[in-house]
Each structure stands twice: as structure tokens, then as C-alpha cells.
């Protein structure tokens, strides 16, 4: 259970950093990497939601 609590916090912190980075880029090195990871996770989320909807 402790791992799930940590994972939720880590995921929330990642998304907060990604949103902050979109509004105020923290530097060229972080800007591209964080946006690519966030975009990949968002794409995976949409594909997962579409797959779940197709199974209904």
C-alpha cells in the first residue's frame, strides 16, 4: 500500500512539473525531455482508454 501512495505522489509531481514546464520552460535540456515523456504518457493513456471502451 505504501508503494501505491508513493506512486500517486510521484505521478502527480511529474504532471505538475510537465505543466509548469509548458508554461515556463526550465531550460532547453528539460523542456524537450519532459514534454516528450508527458506526450508519450498522454498518448498511452488515450490508447488505453480507447482499448477499454472497445471491449465494452
Amino acid at each position: 500500500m505504501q508503494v501505491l501512495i508513493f506512486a500517486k505522489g510521484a505521478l502527480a509531481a511529474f504532471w505538475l512539473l510537465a505543466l509548469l514546464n509548458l508554461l515556463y520552460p526550465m531550460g532547453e535540456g528539460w523542456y524537450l525531455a519532459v514534454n516528450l515523456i508527458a506526450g508519450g504518457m498522454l498518448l498511452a493513456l488515450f490508447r488505453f482508454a480507447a482499448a477499454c471502451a472497445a471491449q465494452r
Side-chain angles (χ1 to χ4, degrees):
M1 196 58 147
Q2 296 287 342
V3 175
L4 292 177
I5 293 171
F6 173 77
K8 280 191 216 177
L11 190 59
F14 172 80
W15 281 112
L16 184 62
L17 179 65
L19 289 173
L20 179 65
N21 195 34
L22 285 173
L23 299 175
Y24 183 74
M26 294 176 218
E28 192 60 38
W30 278 84
Y31 184 71
L32 182 60
V34 170
N35 284 335
L36 286 176
I37 293 170
M41 288 179 69
L42 194 58
L43 180 63
L45 177 67
F46 285 145
R47 290 186 63 151
F48 178 72
C52 287
Q55 287 181 354
R56 288 186 180 183

